[in-house]
Amino acid sequence: MAEAPRSRRATLQALILSLLGGAALWRFLTPRAGAGTSARGVVSVPEADVPAEGALVLPQQRVAVVRQGSDFLAIDLTCTHLGCTVKATEQGFSCPCHGSRFGRGGDVVKGPAPRALRRLVLDRRDGIIRVSRG
C-alpha cells in the first residue's frame, strides 16, 4: 500500500501540538521558582500552643514551629524538590508528591529533595513566637 503524502498544514499542526505538549511537560517537571514565597508576613503563635518535643503545623501559612527541649525553630513546609507542601509525621516531615523525608529539624533523611527545608526567622517575646516569612 502506498502511504498518503502529508500536507504542510498537518505537519505544522503536529509540530505545534508537540511543542505545546513539551512545554506543558516541562512546566510540570521543573521546580517552581520562588515556591512558598507568596505567603509573606509574620505569623504569631503562643508558645504554649507548641507541644513539648513536637510541632505546631500551620498548613495555610506553610509553616511549622518545632519545640526541641527549650528551643524553638520555624520551618518552611515547602519541599525543596518541586515545591509541594510537606506533611508532619511522627519522625519529622514527609512530602506526599515524590516521597522525600525530612527529620524534625528539617534535614533531608531521604531524597529526592536536594537540600533541607528552609528555616525561618523566629522571634520569642512575652510568650509569643513570631515567625517572619519575608
Side-chain angles (χ1 to χ4, degrees):
M1 259 202 253
E3 196 173 309
R6 202 163 204 197
S7 70
R8 267 190 240 163
R9 180 173 291 180
T11 302
L12 282 174
Q13 286 174 341
L15 179 63
I16 290 170
L17 287 174
S18 296
L19 289 173
L20 288 174
L25 188 61
W26 177 264
R27 175 66 185 111
F28 177 74
L29 293 176
T30 56
R32 292 180 280 173
T37 59
S38 61
R40 294 196 182 271
V42 176
V43 177
S44 298
V45 296
E47 284 183 18
D49 287 357
V50 182
E53 299 303 319
L56 174 64
V57 178
L58 306 166
Q60 291 82 12
Q61 291 85 9
R62 293 179 105 170
V63 171
V65 179
V66 179
R67 181 184 291 199
Q68 295 176 332
S70 62
D71 295 329
F72 291 87
L73 56 111
I75 297 175
D76 186 340
L77 295 179
T78 305
C79 183
T80 57
H81 178 230
L82 289 178
C84 298
T85 302
V86 299
K87 309 289 182 205
T89 66
E90 288 188 25
Q91 295 79 25
F93 301 93
S94 171
C95 180
C97 298
H98 300 101
S100 293
R101 303 255 186 257
F102 302 91
R104 293 188 66 225
D107 51 311
V108 177
V109 174
K110 176 182 171 270
R115 59 191 175 282
L117 296 174
R118 185 170 68 109
R119 295 230 178 142
L120 301 172
V121 176
L122 178 137
D123 179 45
R124 291 172 58 192
R125 206 176 299 153
D126 301 325
I128 301 294
I129 298 172
R130 290 173 188 80
V131 178
S132 175
R133 294 211 37 105

